[in-house]
Every structure is written in structure tokens, then in C-alpha cells.
Amino acid sequence: MISKPNTDEYSPFAAGYVALVPDENVIEKLEELMTSSYQLFSSLTEEQGAYAYAPGKWTVKQSLGHMIDTERTFAYRAMVFSRNHTELPGFDQDVYVANSDSDSRTVQDLASEFKAARESNLYLIKSFSPEQLLREGIASNARFTVRAFVYMMAGHELHHLNLFRDRYSIG
């Protein structure tokens, strides 16, 4: 089992994500979320996928594309730090979303990609030794441990599921 990271293992910005993750087995939580999120997103219509709750806000499909990009970014950072590399550049979510072209894809395609990315990342996470989980590096000018990114993956997804429920009336 991967224990919850201490507050000095991630940036203050990431604290909200880590706090959303319940005190339970984080790998089981990631597996549970993979299944439930896939079921939620794959059940949406294309009309629901094109919905944005306000002008200038991301559509559901753009938000899901962002979740995929962030999943991959957190996993990449975790992998790099587990291999003892110590510094990576930042990640500008708005630039990524603007250049992702998620709105031209189907919701089903995005849902399937999210599930595949998570499944792949679960193999990576399960491969980390206890020593690797505590390795650290710098990303976006802040210090993170590998295990912090594992919790941030779950917390980021939970954050967006809350937004989908509260602002998009989905879920």
C-alpha cells in the first residue's frame, strides 16, 4: 500500500488534489475511478460532450482531454523522478487544451483513451518500489515525490468529477 504523502512532498497548489483522496488504498481508488469514470463518460451523448457551463469555459470533451493530458503528465513526472531525474518544466493546461482538438473527437473515443491511459499508469505505479515512491524532483518549480503524483492523479480526477457534477450537471 502507498501511504499518503506528507505536505512537504508536493506544492501548495497540489494540496487540494491530495486532500480529496480518501485514506484508503490509492491503487484500488485509481482502479475504481477508472471504471466509474469510463462508465460515466462513455454514457454521454455528443451534445453533452459539447456542453460548456459558461462562455469561455471548457466543454466536457475539452475537460476530459485535459484530464487525459494531466494523467499522462503526472505519470511521466512520477516515472522520471523514480528514475532519479530531478527537474522538469511546467505544464500549462490552457495551452494544452487549446491545442488538443478534443472537441473534434467523440466522447466515446476520449472515454476509451482515458481508461487506457489509466490502465497503463496503474502498471507503472504498481512497479514502483518503496524506495522509488519516495524519490523526488522538481516540476513547475516545486518539489514533488513520486508518491505525491500517484495521489495527485486520483485527486485531480476527483476534482474534475466534482466539477462535472456541480457545474455541468453530469454524474
Side-chain angles (χ1 to χ4, degrees):
M1 187 161 141
I2 301 171
S3 58
K4 206 166 210 175
N6 300 315
T7 58
D8 64 347
E9 295 181 48
Y10 49 84
S11 71
F13 177 79
Y17 296 150
V18 174
L20 287 173
V21 182
D23 290 328
E24 56 189 55
N25 185 316
V26 70
I27 292 175
E28 288 177 3
K29 187 65 175 177
L30 287 165
E31 290 170 337
E32 171 195 314
L33 286 168
M34 176 183 68
T35 301
S36 61
S37 290
Y38 173 76
Q39 290 171 345
L40 170 67
F41 297 127
S42 64
S43 72
L44 299 178
T45 66
E46 288 306 307
E47 183 179 351
Q48 288 172 307
Y51 175 74
Y53 66 88
K57 296 297 182 181
W58 295 342
T59 65
V60 169
K61 290 197 282 187
Q62 288 173 320
S63 295
L64 184 50
H66 160 72
M67 289 172 64
I68 295 165
D69 285 348
T70 303
E71 177 87 6
R72 285 190 170 124
T73 299
F74 288 171
Y76 175 73
R77 288 174 173 182
M79 182 199 66
V80 168
F81 294 167
S82 78
R83 302 326 191 235
N84 274 329
H85 186 82
T86 58
E87 191 161 0
L88 292 171
F91 163 60
D92 186 330
Q93 65 182 12
D94 293 316
V95 170
Y96 276 59
V97 169
N99 290 287
S100 72
D101 203 25
S102 294
D103 277 336
S104 71
R105 299 174 61 191
T106 67
V107 177
Q108 181 61 56
D109 187 52
L110 289 162
S112 295
E113 184 179 355
F114 181 79
K115 182 179 179 188
R118 172 61 55 78
E119 188 170 34
S120 173
N121 290 338
L122 283 164
Y123 281 102
L124 175 67
I125 292 164
K126 291 174 184 178
S127 77
F128 293 142
S129 69
E131 178 191 10
Q132 288 173 313
L133 287 165
L134 296 176
R135 288 183 183 157
E136 59 187 54
I138 304 295
S140 300
N141 298 313
R143 181 180 163 273
F144 293 90
T145 61
V146 171
R147 73 177 174 179
F149 283 117
V150 174
Y151 274 79
M152 288 166 57
M153 277 184 216
H156 183 260
E157 183 175 355
L158 290 165
H159 165 75
H160 280 281
L161 290 172
N162 288 339
L163 290 175
F164 283 127
R165 184 186 64 248
D166 297 342
R167 296 187 185 162
Y168 293 83
S169 299
I170 295 172

